[in-house]
Amino acid sequence: MTVQLTGPTDRDNELSMMGVYTPRYVEDPYPLYRRAREINPVLWDPTMGDGGAWMVTGYEPALTTLRDSVFSARRPQWDPDTHSPEQAAPLRALYSQLFVTDAPDHKRLRKLMTKPFLPRAVEAMRDGIERGARALLDAVLPRGGMDFMTDYAMALPSAVVCGVLGVPVEERELFWKRILSWGLLVDEGPLSKEHPGYHLASVGKYMDFFREQLRRRESERTDDLMQTLADAWADGGFTSEEELLGNLIFMLTAGQTTTAHQIGNSVLALLDHPDVLARLTADPSLVPYATPELMRYDSSVQLTKRRPVRDVELGGQTIRAGEEIYVWMGAAHRDPKAFPDPDRLDVDRPRSQNLALGHGAHYCLGGQLGQLINEVAVRQFVERVRRPEVDRDKIHRTETPTFRGPHSMPMTFTS
């Protein structure tokens, strides 16, 4: 159920980004982003964060915030030392995940996890990903309909990421139950604050799931990333069990959900632009060139957060050390100073640096793999599915701005 909140108002240029949690902006947040950017691309919002935070909606200040090491990715609200003992273990796992660490820990962790995501290793997965996409479509095409997300957009990255990590894909029902809690905690919005103890306990159960997976490797070695990380832990590469478990959770969860949502967003964008869909259907070889624009147009990760380690100026505003910054990548992608006519899906748009996969030291570790899965999924879809239709009233979306995309999308078609 969507949280009912008071939306933003134009009175006296007042605007609250808390409006992103209302049904109107869950469906389409871009008008809200535009209004915030027009007031100020670096805007103080007293309703966000714990007592107020800075909203960065302009492309240049967003790029600066993501690439400059003066802006820390740390989340002090997750510091286990400030919470009760029963919440300490899941918080230590969250607090040590790659995307919220700074150097030197970030560099150490990234080095441990990089090998499967190097360009040559990713390209070697292409044939398998294509076979997987074809098999999923083979299963649904005779029916003339599917839930696009469950049957295709989620199933494909789930199989790939489970394969890389070494998690039995048939056990995905066990961890999918925990993914929602992780996403809400990362978002830190109203939904996560309703039952924080429940969500942290869910992360604790997620940790138990991976403890069992690691225990199995004590008697039988496997050729996968989890075995590599288990060996690194034995050799002292991880500082604690919670650090290892937290990053296993991060890779399994983020790798699936963001890619699945991006596939859903990409196909929805094509359905909203039948001229572009017709062009890609006529020439599927254009899909790789269109993929960056699809990711810019409606990215599955809309928001991340930073805090400066010292006072700093950003976009003409003085931001004090420790003040929270919300970096709205989705808003930056619609900044007309960076992307002319930004609300138009233009697959001929000159390639530029979009922020869908982050930037700088925290550029998405599995970004190249995620982009490949998205590219293959969309290409197989336009090649094989004809006259796809969705009922907008039956689409159910995620209700957090951090992770944007449908989680249910009934579709009819002909093959």
Side-chain angles (χ1 to χ4, degrees):
M1 180 179 295
T2 303
V3 177
Q4 300 297 320
L5 300 170
T6 301
T9 172
D10 286 320
R11 190 182 74 251
D12 300 324
N13 279 341
E14 292 178 2
L15 180 142
S16 169
M17 290 294 280
M18 191 65 73
V20 295
Y21 294 97
T22 62
R24 173 185 176 187
Y25 293 119
V26 166
E27 175 65 26
D28 181 7
Y30 296 104
L32 178 62
Y33 296 162
R34 182 173 61 250
R35 291 164 62 195
R37 189 174 53 249
E38 288 172 351
I39 295 171
N40 197 319
V42 182
L43 177 70
W44 176 256
D45 188 336
T47 71
M48 298 294 279
D50 296 324
W54 293 96
M55 305 293 110
V56 173
T57 54
Y59 178 82
E60 283 300 330
L63 187 66
T64 297
T65 308
L66 293 176
R67 72 183 175 193
D68 194 328
S69 61
V70 73
F71 298 100
S72 171
R74 274 292 184 199
R75 297 199 178 186
Q77 60 270 41
W78 287 357
D79 188 340
D81 293 336
T82 63
H83 292 71
S84 61
E86 62 269 18
Q87 296 179 337
L91 280 167
R92 278 195 293 269
L94 290 170
Y95 198 57
S96 62
Q97 291 180 326
L98 184 68
F99 78 106
V100 291
T101 58
D102 296 329
D105 288 334
H106 181 84
K107 186 175 181 180
R108 170 178 56 83
L109 291 170
R110 196 176 183 95
K111 185 176 180 180
L112 292 173
M113 296 184 274
T114 292
K115 187 175 180 180
F117 306 110
L118 294 173
R120 182 177 297 179
V122 169
E123 186 57 33
M125 299 183 206
R126 180 183 291 273
D127 288 346
I129 297 170
E130 290 176 346
R131 287 194 299 272
R134 288 194 295 269
L136 290 170
L137 290 177
D138 286 342
V140 299
L141 285 175
R143 304 198 316 238
M146 62 174 164
D147 185 313
F148 179 81
M149 296 306 298
T150 301
D151 294 330
Y152 189 60
M154 291 180 176
L156 182 60
S158 181
V160 175
V161 175
C162 284
V164 170
L165 199 53
V167 173
V169 70
E170 60 271 16
E171 295 190 34
R172 62 185 174 190
E173 290 302 320
L174 294 175
F175 55 78
W176 271 108
K177 295 177 182 178
R178 316 298 174 203
I179 284 176
L180 177 60
S181 287
W182 179 88
L184 290 173
L185 289 167
V186 171
D187 184 69
E188 298 177 308
L191 288 171
S192 71
K193 294 175 181 177
E194 286 184 352
H195 305 288
Y198 170 84
H199 298 307
L200 285 171
S202 187
V203 170
K205 293 177 181 177
Y206 211 168
M207 295 167 70
D208 290 339
F209 170 81
F210 274 107
R211 284 192 183 97
E212 174 61 21
Q213 294 294 315
L214 290 166
R215 187 192 64 77
R216 294 178 186 179
R217 282 160 172 76
E218 293 176 359
S219 57
E220 184 177 353
R221 293 185 60 82
T222 55
D223 184 17
D224 50 48
L225 180 56
M226 198 184 320
Q227 183 69 64
T228 299
L229 298 185
D231 292 344
W233 181 33
D235 292 339
F238 289 96
T239 60
S240 67
E241 182 193 47
E242 287 91 351
E243 187 178 68
L244 169 62
L245 296 173
N247 282 287
L248 287 170
I249 289 172
F250 169 65
M251 285 188 291
L252 184 60
T253 303
Q256 294 180 78
T257 55
T258 58
T259 305
H261 289 153
Q262 188 61 63
I263 295 169
N265 290 347
S266 297
V267 168
L268 273 176
L270 293 176
L271 295 178
D272 287 341
H273 296 80
D275 56 329
V276 180
L277 176 58
R279 185 177 172 191
L280 297 185
T281 299
D283 186 0
S285 69
L286 295 176
V287 170
Y289 303 96
T291 298
E293 171 67 357
L294 290 166
M295 296 175 73
R296 178 206 69 86
Y297 183 78
D298 199 11
S299 56
S300 62
V301 180
Q302 298 266 306
L303 168 65
T304 192
K305 299 173 184 179
R306 296 288 188 270
R307 293 174 189 262
V309 297
R310 57 175 171 78
D311 292 358
V312 66
E313 183 176 300
L314 182 69
Q317 302 276 31
T318 298
I319 300 179
R320 304 299 180 190
E323 289 183 333
E324 193 166 25
I325 302 170
Y326 283 55
V327 187
W328 295 93
M329 290 93 75
H333 289 157
R334 300 293 183 100
D335 187 343
K337 292 182 179 179
F339 304 98
D341 197 7
D343 295 325
R344 182 166 67 93
L345 180 65
D346 179 7
V347 296
D348 295 316
R349 187 183 298 276
R351 292 200 177 193
S352 55
Q353 178 69 58
N354 75 57
L355 307 177
L357 299 172
H359 190 72
H362 284 83
Y363 183 83
C364 180
L365 177 67
Q368 187 168 342
L369 177 58
Q371 187 161 315
L372 174 61
I373 297 170
N374 185 50
E375 172 194 317
V376 169
V378 172
R379 180 164 183 165
Q380 291 290 324
F381 178 82
V382 300
E383 283 183 346
R384 302 189 62 193
V385 178
R386 294 293 175 264
R387 293 186 288 279
E389 294 183 5
V390 297
D391 183 343
R392 284 281 180 175
D393 292 335
K394 294 182 179 179
I395 296 174
H396 297 285
R397 289 183 171 275
T398 58
E399 297 172 4
T400 63
T402 301
F403 304 110
R404 171 171 168 76
H407 60 76
S408 179
M409 194 167 90
M411 175 184 289
T412 60
F413 49 80
T414 58
S415 61

